[in-house]
Tab-separated table of all heavy atoms in Angstrom:
chain	number	residue	atom	x	y	z
A	12	VAL	N	273.740	227.702	-2.661
A	12	VAL	CA	273.195	227.077	-1.446
A	12	VAL	C	272.473	228.154	-0.588
A	12	VAL	O	271.393	227.804	-0.016
A	12	VAL	CB	274.369	226.493	-0.611
A	12	VAL	CG1	273.778	225.847	0.687
A	12	VAL	CG2	274.943	225.329	-1.446
A	13	ARG	N	273.042	229.321	-0.452
A	13	ARG	CA	272.276	230.365	0.344
A	13	ARG	C	270.922	230.689	-0.298
A	13	ARG	O	269.888	230.811	0.423
A	13	ARG	CB	273.151	231.649	0.400
A	13	ARG	CG	274.342	231.564	1.232
A	13	ARG	CD	274.886	232.956	1.601
A	13	ARG	NE	275.289	233.657	0.436
A	13	ARG	CZ	276.593	233.506	-0.146
A	13	ARG	NH1	277.459	232.747	0.363
A	13	ARG	NH2	276.889	234.189	-1.248
A	14	ARG	N	270.864	230.754	-1.629
A	14	ARG	CA	269.653	231.015	-2.286
A	14	ARG	C	268.676	229.876	-2.105
A	14	ARG	O	267.440	230.034	-1.874
A	14	ARG	CB	269.854	231.321	-3.771
A	14	ARG	CG	268.592	231.535	-4.609
A	14	ARG	CD	267.795	232.723	-4.110
A	14	ARG	NE	266.605	232.890	-4.979
A	14	ARG	CZ	265.455	233.544	-4.525
A	14	ARG	NH1	265.402	234.054	-3.304
A	14	ARG	NH2	264.470	233.649	-5.345
A	15	LEU	N	269.167	228.629	-2.180
A	15	LEU	CA	268.311	227.466	-1.998
A	15	LEU	C	267.724	227.480	-0.672
A	15	LEU	O	266.505	227.231	-0.487
A	15	LEU	CB	269.190	226.200	-2.222
A	15	LEU	CG	268.518	224.876	-2.435
A	15	LEU	CD1	267.661	224.917	-3.562
A	15	LEU	CD2	269.700	223.779	-2.565
A	16	GLU	N	268.455	227.841	0.348
A	16	GLU	CA	267.951	227.896	1.723
A	16	GLU	C	266.897	229.030	1.934
A	16	GLU	O	265.870	228.841	2.656
A	16	GLU	CB	269.091	228.034	2.706
A	16	GLU	CG	269.986	226.801	2.877
A	16	GLU	CD	271.228	226.958	3.585
A	16	GLU	OE1	271.509	228.156	4.008
A	16	GLU	OE2	271.942	226.012	3.855
A	17	GLN	N	267.171	230.098	1.223
A	17	GLN	CA	266.167	231.146	1.211
A	17	GLN	C	264.825	230.715	0.665
A	17	GLN	O	263.769	231.066	1.137
A	17	GLN	CB	266.695	232.320	0.408
A	17	GLN	CG	267.836	233.196	1.105
A	17	GLN	CD	268.313	234.250	0.153
A	17	GLN	OE1	267.927	234.380	-1.001
A	17	GLN	NE2	269.327	234.985	0.631
A	18	LEU	N	264.945	229.950	-0.405
A	18	LEU	CA	263.689	229.409	-1.066
A	18	LEU	C	263.001	228.372	-0.207
A	18	LEU	O	261.727	228.397	-0.082
A	18	LEU	CB	264.042	228.724	-2.385
A	18	LEU	CG	264.580	229.644	-3.507
A	18	LEU	CD1	264.813	228.858	-4.849
A	18	LEU	CD2	263.583	230.872	-3.751
A	19	PHE	N	263.780	227.603	0.551
A	19	PHE	CA	263.114	226.641	1.459
A	19	PHE	C	262.357	227.406	2.572
A	19	PHE	O	261.190	227.031	2.911
A	19	PHE	CB	264.213	225.779	2.121
A	19	PHE	CG	264.775	224.733	1.200
A	19	PHE	CD1	266.023	224.245	1.406
A	19	PHE	CD2	264.084	224.188	0.141
A	19	PHE	CE1	266.609	223.249	0.557
A	19	PHE	CE2	264.639	223.265	-0.760
A	19	PHE	CZ	265.935	222.802	-0.492
A	20	TRP	N	262.976	228.407	3.082
A	20	TRP	CA	262.259	229.252	4.112
A	20	TRP	C	261.061	229.963	3.503
A	20	TRP	O	260.073	230.213	4.185
A	20	TRP	CB	263.274	230.210	4.774
A	20	TRP	CG	264.039	229.512	5.860
A	20	TRP	CD1	265.326	229.114	5.860
A	20	TRP	CD2	263.504	229.138	7.149
A	20	TRP	NE1	265.741	228.540	6.996
A	20	TRP	CE2	264.678	228.513	7.849
A	20	TRP	CE3	262.355	229.275	7.790
A	20	TRP	CZ2	264.542	228.013	9.176
A	20	TRP	CZ3	262.251	228.755	9.085
A	20	TRP	CH2	263.287	228.201	9.739
A	21	GLN	N	261.189	230.456	2.267
A	21	GLN	CA	260.013	231.072	1.583
A	21	GLN	C	258.901	230.086	1.528
A	21	GLN	O	257.747	230.423	1.852
A	21	GLN	CB	260.411	231.560	0.190
A	21	GLN	CG	259.268	232.208	-0.540
A	21	GLN	CD	259.692	232.577	-2.016
A	21	GLN	OE1	260.807	232.840	-2.286
A	21	GLN	NE2	258.682	232.614	-2.872
A	22	MET	N	259.197	228.842	1.090
A	22	MET	CA	258.122	227.857	1.008
A	22	MET	C	257.578	227.574	2.403
A	22	MET	O	256.290	227.417	2.514
A	22	MET	CB	258.728	226.605	0.459
A	22	MET	CG	259.270	226.554	-0.933
A	22	MET	SD	260.124	225.053	-1.319
A	22	MET	CE	261.091	225.546	-2.645
A	23	GLN	N	258.370	227.516	3.408
A	23	GLN	CA	257.871	227.324	4.756
A	23	GLN	C	256.946	228.438	5.204
A	23	GLN	O	255.849	228.190	5.758
A	23	GLN	CB	259.115	227.208	5.751
A	23	GLN	CG	258.735	227.005	7.218
A	23	GLN	CD	258.003	225.688	7.525
A	23	GLN	OE1	258.039	224.765	6.748
A	23	GLN	NE2	257.420	225.659	8.683
A	24	GLY	N	257.350	229.676	4.911
A	24	GLY	CA	256.539	230.784	5.275
A	24	GLY	C	255.192	230.815	4.583
A	24	GLY	O	254.117	231.022	5.198
A	25	GLU	N	255.184	230.506	3.299
A	25	GLU	CA	253.982	230.385	2.534
A	25	GLU	C	253.076	229.279	3.083
A	25	GLU	O	251.848	229.439	3.248
A	25	GLU	CB	254.202	230.155	1.110
A	25	GLU	CG	254.876	231.380	0.428
A	25	GLU	CD	255.228	231.150	-1.060
A	25	GLU	OE1	255.036	230.016	-1.570
A	25	GLU	OE2	255.659	232.092	-1.749
A	26	CYS	N	253.658	228.175	3.454
A	26	CYS	CA	252.874	227.038	4.023
A	26	CYS	C	252.245	227.471	5.381
A	26	CYS	O	251.090	227.222	5.636
A	26	CYS	CB	253.811	225.855	4.253
A	26	CYS	SG	253.005	224.314	4.701
A	27	GLU	N	253.044	228.113	6.253
A	27	GLU	CA	252.538	228.490	7.577
A	27	GLU	C	251.357	229.538	7.385
A	27	GLU	O	250.409	229.588	8.218
A	27	GLU	CB	253.621	229.215	8.381
A	27	GLU	CG	254.710	228.232	8.829
A	27	GLU	CD	255.862	228.857	9.515
A	27	GLU	OE1	255.701	230.099	9.820
A	27	GLU	OE2	256.825	228.231	9.806
A	28	ARG	N	251.336	230.352	6.326
A	28	ARG	CA	250.334	231.323	6.068
A	28	ARG	C	249.172	230.755	5.263
A	28	ARG	O	248.195	231.467	4.946
A	28	ARG	CB	250.842	232.537	5.357
A	28	ARG	CG	251.896	233.319	6.161
A	28	ARG	CD	252.273	234.593	5.428
A	28	ARG	NE	252.808	234.462	4.088
A	28	ARG	CZ	254.091	234.266	3.848
A	28	ARG	NH1	254.963	234.252	4.894
A	28	ARG	NH2	254.487	234.139	2.602
A	29	GLY	N	249.225	229.427	4.949
A	29	GLY	CA	248.220	228.794	4.128
A	29	GLY	C	248.242	229.199	2.676
A	29	GLY	O	247.200	229.163	1.942
A	30	GLU	N	249.460	229.578	2.179
A	30	GLU	CA	249.549	230.074	0.817
A	30	GLU	C	250.336	229.108	-0.098
A	30	GLU	O	250.819	229.470	-1.181
A	30	GLU	CB	250.356	231.346	0.830
A	30	GLU	CG	249.616	232.487	1.602
A	30	GLU	CD	250.508	233.752	1.805
A	30	GLU	OE1	251.602	233.749	1.314
A	30	GLU	OE2	249.931	234.687	2.404
A	31	THR	N	250.474	227.836	0.381
A	31	THR	CA	251.131	226.808	-0.455
A	31	THR	C	250.383	226.677	-1.790
A	31	THR	O	249.176	226.461	-1.744
A	31	THR	CB	251.189	225.444	0.233
A	31	THR	OG1	251.974	225.627	1.449
A	31	THR	CG2	251.938	224.453	-0.651
A	32	PRO	N	251.052	226.778	-2.941
A	32	PRO	CA	250.373	226.736	-4.191
A	32	PRO	C	249.722	225.398	-4.406
A	32	PRO	O	250.274	224.326	-4.028
A	32	PRO	CB	251.445	226.992	-5.229
A	32	PRO	CG	252.740	226.604	-4.573
A	32	PRO	CD	252.539	226.982	-3.061
A	33	VAL	N	248.618	225.333	-5.234
A	33	VAL	CA	248.034	224.131	-5.556
A	33	VAL	C	248.256	223.929	-7.056
A	33	VAL	O	247.947	224.856	-7.846
A	33	VAL	CB	246.485	224.162	-5.334
A	33	VAL	CG1	245.776	222.994	-5.841
A	33	VAL	CG2	246.108	224.369	-3.897
A	34	PRO	N	248.869	222.797	-7.444
A	34	PRO	CA	249.167	222.636	-8.890
A	34	PRO	C	247.911	222.604	-9.729
A	34	PRO	O	246.888	222.092	-9.416
A	34	PRO	CB	249.701	221.169	-8.933
A	34	PRO	CG	250.255	220.905	-7.535
A	34	PRO	CD	249.290	221.738	-6.586
A	35	ASP	N	248.001	223.422	-10.879
A	35	ASP	CA	246.930	223.568	-11.787
A	35	ASP	C	247.043	222.544	-12.864
A	35	ASP	O	247.955	222.580	-13.661
A	35	ASP	CB	247.007	224.999	-12.367
A	35	ASP	CG	245.803	225.309	-13.257
A	35	ASP	OD1	245.030	224.364	-13.657
A	35	ASP	OD2	245.553	226.474	-13.558
A	36	LEU	N	246.098	221.611	-12.865
A	36	LEU	CA	246.129	220.477	-13.835
A	36	LEU	C	244.921	220.571	-14.780
A	36	LEU	O	244.622	219.612	-15.492
A	36	LEU	CB	246.089	219.203	-13.126
A	36	LEU	CG	247.079	218.983	-11.969
A	36	LEU	CD1	246.910	217.664	-11.233
A	36	LEU	CD2	248.533	219.040	-12.574
A	37	GLN	N	244.397	221.771	-14.868
A	37	GLN	CA	243.190	221.952	-15.693
A	37	GLN	C	243.435	221.740	-17.235
A	37	GLN	O	244.469	222.160	-17.714
A	37	GLN	CB	242.628	223.444	-15.557
A	37	GLN	CG	241.403	223.787	-16.296
A	37	GLN	CD	240.173	223.188	-15.525
A	37	GLN	OE1	240.090	223.279	-14.338
A	37	GLN	NE2	239.312	222.538	-16.200
């Protein structure tokens, strides 16, 4: 659970910085 929450906050940080990944469907 601690790791899961770390990942949620990592995603949030990436989103705030405009770094949310874009799925590659090529």
Side-chain angles (χ1 to χ4, degrees):
V12 176
R13 287 195 299 272
R14 177 59 179 159
L15 195 57
E16 291 168 354
Q17 289 172 0
L18 294 183
F19 289 153
W20 278 105
Q21 177 184 333
M22 296 173 200
Q23 176 68 15
E25 290 178 358
C26 188
E27 291 175 9
R28 296 190 299 273
E30 298 171 1
T31 299
V33 176
D35 187 344
L36 308 174
Q37 186 73 47

